[in-house]
Amino acid sequence: MREFSYAKAVDPEEAVRLAGTGARYLGGGTNLVDLMREEIETPTALIDVSGLAQGITETPGGGIEIGAATSNTAVAAHPRVRHDYPMLARAIVSGASGQLRNMATVGGNLLQRTRCAYFYDEAARCNKRSPVSGCDAREGFHRAHAVLGVSEQCIATHPSDMCVALVALDAQVDILGPAGARAVPLEQLHREPGDTPHLETVLAPAELITAVRLPQATVAANSTYRKVRDRASYAFALVSVAAALRVEDGTVSEVRIALGGVASRPWRAHLAERELLGAPATAESFRRAAETEFRAARPSRDNAFKVSLAPRVVADVLEGLIR
Ligand code: SF4
């Protein structure tokens, strides 16, 4: 590990002031410190923001605001989350061990890096780690890689479970930076790789995520998260589905679907949602709508199974939500 300076910020404004060129914000460190050990991340300064903005508060419109330094454990255990946004609690619990959830923060979860093995291997070619060097995953081991939102330059998946649920819940991300405060929908926070896979978010230099806000959404109370993976405990998703459903007189009146493990960013299945509105609430229409979402899929040699697996998981999850 290389030398770096360390400072603990007392408030978000100070954190932004301290964040010069080469600095990184430190939350729980569950991903960043690993990356520093491997010298994939080499910050010259760490600005510790783990003590800022913790907790969950009610917002005037009936939603909730989650401070960016709130631990993943605290979010998953919060009564409002468990009752009104169960897909979020389930996604977090499926994402990591208890110890990791205790350390990991919401802001850090949003900004975690891909777990593509070549990204972590200094000897491999990786456009995300070293721009314009190539992508060894394309012809290499890519069974777990993405089929949606990919490019010739990168086929990595976004690894977060929490973000999949947050995208389905229309989360907004509050940001503070040198130019002031702004908010972006979480769905627009992460970039697709295109020709610049090393640019992963729309955050400008020194911008700090301060909170995530969830609007009130009645449909979210009838929601869940399903994660399909190679082993039962703490593996990254091959396919994951966050879904919420409201059915009236046998037809779909409201639906949310987001996908993990299949795309370069947390993927809201807008095409499938549109197709399902007003459609019969049956496994067959659920599966067909999800297949529509995958018409644009660009699978690689060993991950085409996701294109047929994901619609089946979506159909099963939505069927389980019919009340
Ligand atoms: Fe790097 Fe992306 Fe290729 Fe993996 S898929 S080796 S992260 S460029």
Side-chain angles (χ1 to χ4, degrees), residues 85-106:
Y85 309 98
M87 68 161 75
L88 178 57
R90 286 174 183 268
I92 292 170
V93 169
S94 75
S97 67
Q99 292 95 329
L100 282 170
R101 296 198 302 267
N102 290 343
M103 288 295 294
T105 63
V106 169

Side-chain angles (χ1 to χ4, degrees), residues 62-151:
I64 58 172
E65 179 176 312
I66 308 170
T70 310
S71 73
N72 288 194
T73 295
V75 178
H78 195 277
R80 265 300 303 274
V81 174
R82 293 172 70 88
H83 186 265
D84 292 345
Y85 309 98
M87 68 161 75
L88 178 57
R90 286 174 183 268
I92 292 170
V93 169
S94 75
S97 67
Q99 292 95 329
L100 282 170
R101 296 198 302 267
N102 290 343
M103 288 295 294
T105 63
V106 169
N109 192 309
L110 267 52
L111 298 181
Q112 63 181 296
R113 312 289 304 274
T114 184
R115 296 322 198 269
C116 172
Y118 302 103
F119 176 69
Y120 288 80
D121 180 358
E122 272 287 323
R125 295 179 305 156
C126 172
N127 289 322
K128 190 182 277 298
R129 174 170 35 75
S130 178
V132 205
S133 63
C135 170
D136 277 348
R138 291 201 66 84
E139 298 300 325
F141 184 74
H142 55 231
R143 181 173 167 275
H145 282 62
V147 298
L148 291 170
V150 298
S151 71

